[in-house]
Amino acid sequence: MKKSLFIYLFIVTLLMTIFIYMYYSKKVKFEAERFENLKTKMNDTIQSLNNKLFDANYFTLRNNDQAQNYLEDYSIEKLIPKIEANLMELNDNPEGNPMVDFGKIDDKKFIINKIEVLNHRWIIADFSNGDLWGEVLLQYFIEEDESLNFKIIQSTLYPKQ
């Protein structure tokens, strides 16, 4: 009786060990496959986001080799911050930024918030007075003394919503 009890216990233990081994080996394989699928999906997502970022930055001076060649005498990494700083300094004008076609509305001056240098000649900027928003397309020129001059090409003011 004791002997058969030990045999039954041995067989049950052996079967449990086999089941546990099979469970964990398949679990590890399943987790590895799941990890590879997730890794592939994440790589695809990263590639997709990189493509979208490249498309979003397509019209910028940093990605425009032709415009950079035109400005070969200037460092792009120094020129872009200089342009941005010059335009932002104009926000200090009490009447508002003169590069915005619109004067004060309800005693609120328009200031430029965001600037993107498109190429060797054009800038697009976002402006607002806190209530109204718009965009302006500017032309810029670099003078011989390396000062900057700006000219408004066109601007638009969005209706209040």
Side-chain angles (χ1 to χ4, degrees):
M1 172 88 175
K2 245 181 180 186
K3 193 175 188 181
S4 62
L5 179 65
F6 285 122
I7 291 176
Y8 288 128
L9 284 175
F10 177 74
I11 293 173
V12 168
T13 305
L14 182 66
L15 286 174
M16 293 281 290
T17 305
I18 292 172
F19 286 133
I20 290 171
Y21 171 77
M22 295 301 291
Y23 171 77
Y24 281 110
S25 65
K26 288 188 182 209
K27 181 179 180 185
V28 167
K29 184 179 175 185
F30 173 76
E31 291 294 329
E33 288 175 2
R34 194 171 114 194
F35 175 75
E36 285 301 318
N37 289 341
L38 183 62
K39 185 177 166 185
T40 303
K41 195 181 290 186
M42 288 182 69
N43 285 338
D44 292 345
T45 301
I46 289 170
Q47 184 62 39
S48 173
L49 289 173
N50 282 336
N51 290 341
K52 286 180 182 180
L53 181 62
F54 178 78
D55 289 344
N57 288 326
Y58 182 78
F59 289 107
T60 63
L61 181 58
R62 286 186 174 93
N63 290 334
N64 188 332
D65 292 334
Q66 301 298 330
Q68 287 180 17
N69 290 339
Y70 183 84
L71 295 170
E72 65 186 346
D73 296 338
Y74 303 97
S75 165
I76 301 304
E77 299 307 318
K78 291 180 183 175
L79 179 64
I80 293 173
K82 181 179 179 179
I83 291 170
E84 291 174 348
N86 283 355
L87 281 173
M88 290 299 192
E89 283 175 15
L90 297 173
N91 284 343
D92 295 337
N93 186 328
E95 295 300 312
N97 195 310
M99 292 299 110
V100 176
D101 266 346
F102 305 96
K104 286 184 175 181
I105 296 180
D106 296 332
D107 265 352
K108 294 180 182 179
K109 68 179 186 174
F110 284 98
I111 60 170
I112 290 179
N113 303 312
K114 180 105 174 106
I115 300 162
E116 187 66 55
V117 180
L118 300 177
N119 58 25
H120 65 287
R121 192 60 66 214
W122 297 333
I123 300 167
I124 190 166
D126 170 72
F127 64 86
S128 74
N129 71 352
D131 290 330
L132 299 170
W133 299 84
E135 293 171 350
V136 61
L137 185 62
L138 301 170
Q139 193 171 21
Y140 71 97
F141 303 95
I142 304 170
E143 302 299 331
E144 288 183 18
D145 64 352
E146 295 192 10
S147 64
L148 296 169
N149 285 328
F150 301 101
K151 177 183 169 190
I152 299 170
I153 297 174
Q154 190 164 5
S155 64
T156 184
L157 186 63
Y158 297 113
K160 194 172 185 177
Q161 292 183 350

